[in-house]
Amino acid sequence: MSDNDVEFRTVIEPFRIHSVEPLRMTTAAERRAKAADAAYNLFQLHADDVLIDLLTDSGTGAMSRDQWAAIQRGDESYAGSPSFFVFRDAVQELFPYAHVIPTHQGRAAERILFQVLGGPGKVVPSNTHFDTTRANIEFTGAEAVDLVIAEGRDPQADHPFKGNMDIGRLEALLAERGAEIPVVMMTITNNSGGGQPVSLANLHAVADVCRAAGKPLFLDACRFAENAWFVKTREPGREHDTIPDIIREMAGLADGMTMSAKKDPMGNIGGWLALNDDDLALQCRNLLILTEGFPTYGGLAGRDLEALAQGLKEVVSEDYLRYRIRSTAYLADALVGLGIPCLTPAGGHAVYIDAAALLAHIPALEYPGQALAVALYETGGIRSCEIGSVMFGRQPDGSERPAAMELVRLAIPRRTYTQSHIDYVIEVAERVKAQAPDLPGYRIVDEPPALRHFTAAFAPIG
Ligand SMILES: *Cc1c(COP(=O)(O)O)cnc(C)c1O
């Protein structure tokens, strides 16, 4: 290495801007009125009333020049479109499963899979189920069980792979209720647990346990590339593995996957279900045709399939992943530096503020996460997402129970915001922290029977 090749401290965005979208400035008074109009549910805001939108990293990223070019190659043939085969090959390059079934989003893949494998009396373990996964399992009458390691439920515990499954608890569940378990899931990275990675060693151990018990293992693989980067940079002995090799090793340990292509595949829409079992694939394709479409497009346009195939090639770039993971950690480091308690170490796609710690005066069932999310919006126009008792507190029997953690997720859309946008977010968070003791809790005044966080109406208490 010559001196000029020594790495610089500043990790830059490995792209420059080609097309821009305006942001609309608002005043604090306007935002307070908009929040009240939305019944304090940030999902109900109009997005152009939001300045920095960190609600989700799902489908909100910027597509590349080459993805937009790929869109022009989209072939919209109903059956057998060449765009399907481009898509299938790009998926199988990383996830060599026999069957690749496109769906319009991840939750459509989940609905199809659990319509076949779920049902009353069944129980489906995971490290932590994502909200739509849990909802789709419970909708069939089955039970969804989270078995993440203890460190994964402690926001401040220091562990390189806080998304790992607790192998002992998985073995115990298989011993006790094995006959009721149709499939074991692993979410990589563990979104609801803070975007925390799963180690390859843990995935090997889970796969061994599943194989010994004769149970299929499926990945909920939305952030597979971010997970692979954490493996490469944190797991001993993995630093020389390539990202695609790590991904293929993860894929090879499982029997199939569900996928939201709105995450690491860099799409604005899309998903898939991929698996090896011929008979299960046949049943899933039959359900696909009922609601999604013919198996070579499955709820997507040919152009979407092309954009996703290109996105899969871009997301495995080490320059991209280094920037991606560093820019998330940059936000977390700054917040922690201000004394704002965050889930640490930072996850891949998002920073999670520990609202229970920051707003210790608000009880869990007065939703400290919701209180913080509303304050971030009213103060600086930042939209975030509560991941706590609003999202998970309501039980299938209608009762309420505090969630394991009260988090506010600042999800970072891919390739979308610059460092000065993030510096602004940090400044807003600092101001909210100063007001924290005065922020009110909330109560729910109206809610739907499932996935209430999307549409519930709230009112401040007092
Ligand atoms: C987003 C997501 C899903 C659901 O995917 P959609 O495309 O939003 O339907 C499932 N699991 C995880 C871990 C996710 O992040």
Side-chain angles (χ1 to χ4, degrees):
M1 241 194 212
S2 79
D3 272 1
N4 283 340
D5 288 333
V6 173
E7 275 185 32
F8 288 96
R9 235 181 9 259
T10 308
V11 177
I12 65 165
E13 290 85 355
F15 49 80
R16 58 187 179 183
I17 293 165
H18 168 70
S19 176
V20 298
E21 283 182 274
L23 294 177
R24 197 171 75 80
M25 303 291 172
T26 50
T27 64
E30 279 174 311
R31 292 190 295 266
R32 281 193 294 272
K34 297 292 181 189
D37 287 349
Y40 301 98
N41 185 327
L42 303 182
F43 283 99
Q44 300 299 316
L45 289 171
H46 290 210
D48 53 1
D49 294 325
V50 174
L51 187 59
I52 307 282
D53 204 346
L54 308 183
L55 181 69
T56 173
D57 64 323
S58 180
T60 52
M63 289 212 296
S64 67
R65 171 194 67 188
D66 294 338
Q67 284 182 289
W68 286 109
I71 279 193
Q72 290 294 330
R73 286 197 300 271
D75 179 301
E76 305 304 340
S77 303
Y78 190 94
S81 161
S83 297
F84 169 72
F85 297 101
V86 170
F87 165 80
R88 185 201 61 184
D89 292 351
V91 172
Q92 287 179 332
E93 171 73 20
L94 296 172
F95 303 97
Y97 298 119
H99 304 278
V100 177
I101 302 172
T103 60
H104 82 280
Q105 291 198 200
R107 68 196 67 187
E110 293 165 355
R111 177 176 158 84
I112 289 168
L113 182 66
F114 294 115
Q115 206 168 327
V116 178
L117 294 181
K122 300 280 173 62
V123 52
V124 181
S126 179
N127 44 353
T128 308
H129 290 284
F130 184 63
D131 58 351
T132 61
T133 321
R134 171 173 287 276
N136 273 298
I137 290 168
E138 290 174 350
F139 187 73
T140 71
E143 189 185 337
V145 178
D146 295 336
L147 301 176
V148 74
I149 57 170
E151 290 91 334
R153 291 185 310 261
D154 176 352
Q156 261 88 47
D158 192 24
H159 188 289
F161 293 102
K162 288 171 84 167
N164 281 354
M165 181 92 85
D166 185 326
I167 302 295
R169 290 177 69 201
L170 177 63
E171 285 173 330
L173 188 72
L174 280 159
E176 198 183 317
R177 304 178 65 182
E180 301 160 36
I181 298 178
V183 61
V184 175
M185 301 288 295
M186 270 295 254
T187 314
I188 58 170
T189 59
N190 191 20
N191 186 358
S192 299
Q196 298 293 317
V198 172
S199 71
L200 262 175
N202 186 255
L203 207 52
H204 274 278
V206 169
D208 288 347
V209 169
C210 289
R211 211 140 294 152
K215 300 298 178 187
L217 171 64
F218 269 60
L219 302 176
D220 177 347
C222 301
R223 296 178 185 79
F224 62 91
E226 293 174 6
N227 202 88
W229 180 259
F230 283 119
V231 166
K232 184 175 171 71
T233 54
R234 289 186 185 170
E235 193 158 350
R238 293 295 182 169
E239 62 272 23
H240 300 301
D241 295 3
T242 70
I243 297 295
D245 281 344
I246 293 171
I247 295 166
R248 281 186 285 266
E249 185 170 336
M250 297 189 303
L253 292 169
D255 302 284
M257 69 192 296
T258 57
M259 187 70 195
S260 169
K262 303 172 73 171
K263 320 288 172 51
D264 273 355
M266 307 272 205
N268 297 131
I269 195 71
W272 68 81
L273 175 62
L275 66 167
N276 283 329
D277 186 285
D278 296 337
D279 183 53
L280 182 57
L282 183 70
Q283 292 182 66
C284 290
R285 281 204 179 94
N286 287 338
L287 288 174
L288 183 86
I289 292 174
L290 273 184
T291 56
E292 291 286 295
F294 190 74
T296 59
Y297 71 86
L300 292 171
R303 55 178 169 270
D304 299 324
L305 295 169
E306 293 273 358
L308 297 178
Q310 178 60 29
L312 285 172
K313 296 189 171 68
E314 294 174 12
V315 76
V316 297
S317 153
E318 293 192 9
D319 287 343
Y320 164 73
L321 287 169
R322 181 179 299 107
Y323 139 79
R324 170 75 175 158
I325 300 304
R326 177 61 203 138
S327 51
T328 304
Y330 175 84
L331 174 57
D333 290 350
L335 296 180
V336 169
L338 291 170
I340 297 173
C342 290
L343 199 154
T344 50
H349 68 295
V351 174
Y352 296 70
I353 300 176
D354 182 351
L358 185 64
L359 304 181
H361 63 290
I362 302 179
L365 294 181
E366 293 180 13
Y367 313 121
Q370 192 67 21
L372 178 58
V374 171
L376 287 167
Y377 174 69
E378 289 183 338
T379 304
I382 296 163
R383 180 155 67 168
S384 57
C385 184
E386 192 264 11
I387 304 214
S389 293
V390 174
M391 192 179 273
F392 293 119
R394 193 186 150 108
Q395 306 304 306
D397 66 7
S399 66
E400 280 235 21
R401 185 165 82 210
M405 296 190 270
E406 302 297 334
L407 302 175
V408 169
R409 183 183 70 183
L410 305 171
I412 319 289
R414 291 171 183 74
R415 306 187 292 202
T416 302
Y417 291 113
T418 65
Q419 188 171 336
S420 64
H421 290 125
I422 298 301
D423 287 337
Y424 170 86
V425 172
I426 293 162
E427 198 183 334
V428 172
E430 184 175 21
R431 199 168 301 176
V432 169
K433 181 185 179 243
Q435 305 159 356
D438 303 324
L439 296 178
Y442 283 79
R443 63 193 168 82
I444 292 178
V445 293
D446 189 31
E447 65 182 297
L451 292 173
R452 67 179 181 181
H453 51 288
F454 290 126
T455 53
F458 298 85
I461 296 173

